[in-house]
Amino acid sequence: INILFKNANFYYKKEKYILKDLNFSIKCNEFIAFVGESGCGKSTLAKIISGNLNHYQGNIIMQEKELKNIREDSISKNIIVISSDSYVFKGTLRENFLMAKENATDEEMINILKKVKLDEIFEKNGLDTKLEEEGHNLSGGQRQKLCLARGLLVDAPFYIFDEATSNIDKESEADIMKVIKSLISKKTIILISHRLENVNR
């Protein structure tokens, strides 16, 4: 997926721009990182690209079409956002995965758990493990790994990682960053972080 920003602007309150005069391109299978302090517009940019905010000014062209004219379901199938507040639903581990990919096989789900180093945690009850609302029976790191696994299961061409490693333990952060970096050159990736060290490849 290719995206071109041409004189793009965005504001929540009139005349108080969050993003102003953006001109850049994102090429297919490119890795791009945005680093900055909270409130500087990084997450707003992620919401615009993923189709959640379409009242921008200027032009944002995706695959030769204006972004705001592309159907929301088409964007959601091709661009996956994994953020620090990604949601874990009450139910089983399997049900959470099937929300992302309704025809996923048990083998696919187990393999993705292995990839994010969660397979041993759910070894006892496997995919039938019960999850509480918002994943309250998981640690912060486990919850983020699960959200990462659910996103990877879709196997979309474009991933946005919006502070996907904030407020979790160092080991989980390292595991998640290793998975993200394994996708470089295979997927189009935007990595949003307030920590410069996470961007170093």
Side-chain angles (χ1 to χ4, degrees):
I1 292 179
N2 299 299
I3 299 179
L4 176 64
F5 282 72
K6 297 172 68 175
N7 300 318
N9 303 285
F10 183 87
Y11 58 77
Y12 291 105
K13 293 183 178 180
K14 199 167 184 179
E15 304 308 322
K16 188 174 182 180
Y17 287 95
I18 302 298
L19 302 170
K20 188 171 178 61
D21 296 330
L22 294 184
N23 289 279
F24 68 94
S25 63
I26 302 172
K27 298 177 181 178
C28 183
N29 293 348
E30 187 170 32
F31 175 89
I32 289 184
F34 294 99
V35 181
E37 297 177 354
S38 296
C40 71
K42 305 185 304 298
S43 293
T44 296
L45 186 63
K47 289 176 182 177
I48 292 172
I49 294 173
S50 59
N52 292 314
L53 293 173
N54 61 13
H55 54 287
Y56 57 83
Q57 299 173 331
N59 300 103
I60 303 175
I61 310 299
M62 181 184 294
Q63 301 296 83
E64 301 182 356
K65 293 182 180 180
E66 184 65 42
L67 180 60
K68 65 178 64 175
N69 296 330
I70 300 176
R71 285 170 39 187
E72 186 177 338
D73 62 335
S74 178
I75 296 175
S76 63
K77 288 178 183 177
N78 289 283
I79 300 178
I80 301 296
V81 180
I82 300 168
S83 67
S84 58
D85 58 357
S86 291
Y87 200 82
V88 174
F89 297 90
K90 183 178 181 179
T92 65
L93 181 58
R94 180 185 283 104
E95 287 168 342
N96 267 262
F97 278 138
L98 293 178
M99 287 180 184
K101 184 179 179 182
E102 61 182 15
N103 62 345
T105 65
D106 284 8
E107 183 180 8
E108 286 179 299
M109 293 184 252
I110 291 169
N111 285 339
I112 215 76
L113 285 172
K114 289 179 180 178
K115 186 167 187 175
V116 301
K117 295 187 177 179
L118 275 180
D119 51 313
E120 291 184 3
I121 295 169
F122 298 113
E123 191 172 22
K124 183 179 179 182
N125 295 311
L127 296 171
D128 294 316
T129 300
K130 298 288 186 182
L131 300 175
E132 295 178 4
E133 193 76 34
E134 298 185 20
H136 284 312
N137 56 330
L138 303 175
S139 70
Q142 290 167 351
R143 190 163 53 248
Q144 276 304 98
K145 284 184 178 183
L146 176 55
C147 292
L148 173 63
R150 191 173 57 195
L152 294 178
L153 188 64
V154 180
D155 196 24
F158 196 135
Y159 284 88
I160 299 175
F161 298 98
D162 184 7
E163 299 286 8
T165 61
S166 64
N167 301 317
I168 60 175
D169 62 277
K170 288 289 186 182
E171 184 178 353
S172 295
E173 181 179 27
D175 288 341
I176 290 173
M177 286 308 305
K178 185 176 180 179
V179 173
I180 292 173
K181 291 178 179 180
S182 75
L183 301 175
I184 293 176
S185 78
K186 301 173 186 174
K187 306 287 184 182
T188 305
I189 297 172
I190 292 179
L191 176 64
I192 293 172
S193 178
H194 63 278
R195 298 179 60 187
L196 187 60
E197 56 265 38
N198 281 342
V199 176
N200 295 328
R201 293 170 56 179

